[in-house]
Amino acid sequence: MNLLVEDNPARRRFEILIDDALAGFTAYQPRAGIVVFTHTEIEPEVSGQGVGTRLVREALDQVRARGDRVVARCPFVAAFIDRHPEYGDLLATD
């Protein structure tokens, strides 16, 4: 299985592809130096297989690499950051 997480700025979302097919996304609103995550969706056929976790981890890694901060309005992203305190430094005030 080939997994790829990529930013799709035109659609304002990070997408996870499995064997080149869209398996889910996490939507965001860009601000100056801040990425506001608003919603995450994973296709039902891959739900519960760690796809959402992989998507959010790699999206946050890309945000960190750009030097941006995060506002986690999406409950899935917020829960991920709560469970993985190594990403807590990315949080900005809303």
Side-chain angles (χ1 to χ4, degrees):
M1 180 180 349
N2 183 24
L3 282 108
L4 174 68
V5 174
E6 59 186 9
D7 189 5
N8 183 339
R11 299 192 77 176
R12 294 183 175 177
R13 65 189 197 179
F14 286 90
E15 299 173 339
I16 187 162
L17 304 164
I18 299 177
D19 298 329
D20 297 323
L22 183 66
F25 66 88
T26 186
Y28 63 82
Q29 293 296 319
R31 294 188 192 161
I34 295 175
V35 177
V36 181
F37 285 97
T38 58
H39 180 72
T40 300
E41 284 187 28
I42 300 299
E43 292 297 321
E45 60 269 12
V46 294
S47 182
Q49 299 178 28
V51 174
T53 297
R54 173 92 176 256
L55 168 63
V56 172
R57 180 184 310 279
E58 292 194 25
L60 292 174
D61 288 344
Q62 290 181 41
V63 169
R64 175 177 276 141
R66 294 194 304 235
D68 290 344
R69 304 287 301 265
V70 168
V71 173
R73 287 205 185 131
C74 168
F76 189 86
V77 174
F80 177 90
I81 293 171
D82 284 345
R83 286 190 316 273
H84 299 89
E86 65 271 23
Y87 290 97
D89 64 308
L90 290 176
L91 292 174
T93 54
D94 195 357

